[in-house]
């Protein structure tokens, strides 16, 4: 089980993680949480009704990672400039959906942090993380978001870019992020396989 998720009887998944792995995943989830943050125009007050009626932003984020996490719904990736109608549809879609998407991504990242915090105290050499089916879905969403974020920073656009990453020399400053990207991909793949019927 080390490094790969395995199915649990009755649903869910488990993975053995050492202290370093726990620390890396937790740190990345915290960074993702900080990056996602509340969106522009998002009401962070304690008034749940205000949150229901709050409109999100109509413009895409300026940060390339956030653009990857919250892409335009009506733009064509093959055409760098969307026409006026596509821009209007994308703005309207973003205004009504981005706050909920941000909240979901924040909840997934928080689920990762909380489940790691519930493990045995650091320094014990690691632990076996056991996830319920619901928490497994949250982890899957967070792992996907982490890989999208790292992939965006590494400027990975397609599978050919991933192949080039394997050949980076050890002294390349991107190497640690590449290793994290590939490792998270392996975790994500094995978690998906545990959730398949």
């Amino acid at each position: 089980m080390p490094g790969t998720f395995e199915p649990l009887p009755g649903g869910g998944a488990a993975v053995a993680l050492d202290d370093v792995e726990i620390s890396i995943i937790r740190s990345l989830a915290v960074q993702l949480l900080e990056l996602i943050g509340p969106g522009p125009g998002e009401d962070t007050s304690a008034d749940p009704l205000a949150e229901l009626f709050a409109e999100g932003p109509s413009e895409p984020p300026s940060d390339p990672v956030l653009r990857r996490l919250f892409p335009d719904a009506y733009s064509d990736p093959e055409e760098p400039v969307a026409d006026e109608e596509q821009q209007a549809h994308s703005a309207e879609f973003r205004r009504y959906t981005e706050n909920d998407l941000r909240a979901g991504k924040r909840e997934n990242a928080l689920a990762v942090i909380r489940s790691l915090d519930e493990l045995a105290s650091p320094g014990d050499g690691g632990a076996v993380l056991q996830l319920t089916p619901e928490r497994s879905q949250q982890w899957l969403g967070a792992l996907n978001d982490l890989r999208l974020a790292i992939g965006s920073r590494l400027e990975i656009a397609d599978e050919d870019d991933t192949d080039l990453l394997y050949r980076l020399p050890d002294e390349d400053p991107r190497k640690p992020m590449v290793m994290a990207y590939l490792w998270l991909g392996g975790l994500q793949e094995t978690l998906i396989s545990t959730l398949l019927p």
Side-chain angles (χ1 to χ4, degrees), residues 31-193:
Q31 291 175 49
L32 180 65
L33 195 58
E34 291 170 354
L35 178 68
I36 292 170
E42 191 172 358
D43 188 348
T44 58
S45 71
D47 182 0
L49 288 177
E51 289 178 22
L52 281 175
F53 297 107
E55 289 187 4
S58 58
E59 295 297 318
S62 58
D63 185 306
V65 173
L66 291 175
R67 275 197 311 271
R68 187 94 177 256
L69 292 172
F70 305 105
D72 275 336
Y74 294 98
S75 66
D76 183 356
E78 301 298 319
E79 295 180 30
V81 178
D83 66 29
E84 213 171 285
E85 184 178 351
Q86 287 174 323
Q87 289 175 345
H89 289 304
S90 289
E92 184 176 0
F93 185 82
R94 183 177 300 283
R95 184 171 30 259
Y96 295 114
T97 62
E98 188 170 312
N99 286 346
D100 287 340
L101 289 172
R102 279 182 187 271
K105 289 178 184 303
R106 276 194 305 269
E107 190 56 41
N108 289 344
L110 279 170
V112 168
I113 294 165
R114 288 177 183 137
S115 57
L116 293 173
D117 287 349
E118 292 167 2
L119 293 175
S121 62
D124 292 343
V128 175
L129 175 69
Q130 295 188 357
L131 303 173
T132 64
E134 179 185 352
R135 187 68 56 101
S136 295
Q137 290 292 337
Q138 290 176 307
W139 264 73
L140 190 57
L143 287 172
N144 187 60
D145 290 341
L146 287 170
R147 291 193 76 238
L148 284 173
I150 294 170
S152 180
R153 290 288 189 237
L154 292 171
E155 299 178 352
I156 296 172
D158 58 33
E159 194 62 36
D160 291 338
D161 295 336
T162 305
D163 292 340
L164 293 173
L165 295 177
Y166 285 106
R167 294 189 292 272
L168 282 178
D170 288 342
E171 57 275 1
D172 191 302
R174 298 172 294 172
K175 190 72 170 198
M177 288 311 295
V178 168
M179 298 307 294
Y181 177 82
L182 297 172
W183 173 59
L184 291 172
L187 285 176
Q188 183 182 21
E189 188 177 315
T190 60
L191 182 54
I192 289 170
S193 69

